Amino acid sequence: FSFRWLQRIQTSCAQLKGGKVTISPHVSNDLLEKNAVRSTPKRTAAVLIPLCNRNGQASIIFTQRTDDVSTHKGQVSFPGGHVEANETAIEAAIRECYEELGNDIGAISILGVCQTIPAITGTLVTPIIGFIDRDVEDFAHFEPSAGEVKKVFSHTLEELMQPAFRSQQTLERNGIKMTMPVFNDDADTRIWGLTAMILDGVLKSAIQPT
């Protein structure tokens, strides 16, 4: 990622409708507003989509969760967690990223905010697009949280945008069938579910247009 490319991504995100990157056209854009007036609000969370340069190549970082976490055991995800009281989604995403990957990963620049979408648990998740300023190289300076992160890895944008690297699966949720993207389907680090949906939306709406 060059400085100019990152600027284009940031500008593109800001110019989108509502200033938010669309993840799914089938999800309402006012979930957080509706949630705020519920008698029993649903929990909210945020995840960081960590764009980075790895040995000079534009890439995105992923984590594989341990079997010790309470939900989504062993699945591939983005760093993230619940939004705490008096904390914004951006603050939560940055905090969780440092907690999961270590404080030495370097500064994080925020490029954009995405549409809030519901997880299968009912939690409302806001994805935040960020860029880790320092080249991550071989992750030697990362200190993954032993209780949460089994593995840290990345894929280059070139890989993620190859048609052969992605497929589709049909899932049924609340009686409704949905076609969902899947990345790296044959690997142990298969990217599917909410993470794949977020990744697909960010690639199509924020990165590819720039």
Side-chain angles (χ1 to χ4, degrees):
F1 289 101
S2 66
F3 176 72
R4 287 187 177 181
W5 190 0
L6 294 171
Q7 279 189 316
R8 290 198 300 271
I9 293 173
Q10 190 172 43
T11 300
S12 176
C13 290
Q15 291 175 343
L16 292 170
K17 183 178 180 180
K20 294 183 179 180
V21 176
T22 297
I23 300 300
S24 172
H26 306 295
V27 175
S28 170
N29 286 322
D30 58 357
L31 289 183
L32 288 179
E33 290 78 4
K34 290 180 178 177
N35 190 54
V37 297
R38 289 171 61 97
S39 57
T40 306
K42 295 181 179 180
R43 297 197 73 179
T44 59
V47 297
L48 187 82
I49 298 94
L51 310 188
C52 69
N53 287 318
R54 185 175 185 190
N55 298 317
Q57 289 190 293
S59 306
I60 299 180
I61 294 174
F62 302 86
T63 65
Q64 184 177 24
R65 294 164 66 84
T66 67
D67 292 328
D68 298 325
V69 294
S70 58
T71 58
H72 312 300
K73 299 175 185 291
Q75 294 182 17
V76 171
S77 65
F78 292 117
H82 287 109
V83 178
E84 296 181 352
N86 301 315
E87 185 179 47
T88 67
I90 290 176
E91 290 169 342
I94 292 175
R95 172 181 55 77
E96 287 285 348
C97 188
Y98 283 128
E99 287 179 3
E100 292 186 28
L101 302 182
N103 291 322
D104 291 335
I105 63 174
I108 299 172
S109 300
I110 299 302
L111 303 179
V113 177
C114 300
Q115 165 195 34
T116 298
I117 50 177
I120 195 168
T121 58
T123 299
L124 302 181
V125 181
T126 302
I128 307 296
I129 304 172
F131 176 72
I132 297 178
D133 295 350
R134 174 182 176 183
D135 191 304
V136 301
E137 299 177 340
D138 59 357
F139 301 124
H141 56 289
F142 280 38
E143 297 179 355
S145 170
E148 295 181 85
V149 180
K150 178 180 179 180
K151 182 178 182 180
V152 179
F153 64 99
S154 67
H155 288 297
T156 65
L157 289 189
E158 184 178 2
E159 284 179 309
L160 293 169
M161 292 181 180
Q162 289 178 0
F165 197 74
R166 60 178 294 154
S167 59
Q168 293 182 328
Q169 69 174 164
T170 300
L171 299 175
E172 187 168 334
R173 187 170 171 183
N174 299 324
I176 301 173
K177 290 186 177 181
M178 299 181 292
T179 300
M180 304 278 285
V182 178
F183 295 82
N184 205 23
D185 196 24
D186 295 329
D188 177 52
T189 50
R190 175 176 181 255
I191 303 169
W192 65 286
L194 188 68
T195 301
M197 181 188 293
I198 294 171
L199 174 61
D200 188 55
V202 168
L203 290 175
K204 288 180 177 178
S205 300
I207 295 179
Q208 285 178 337
T210 63

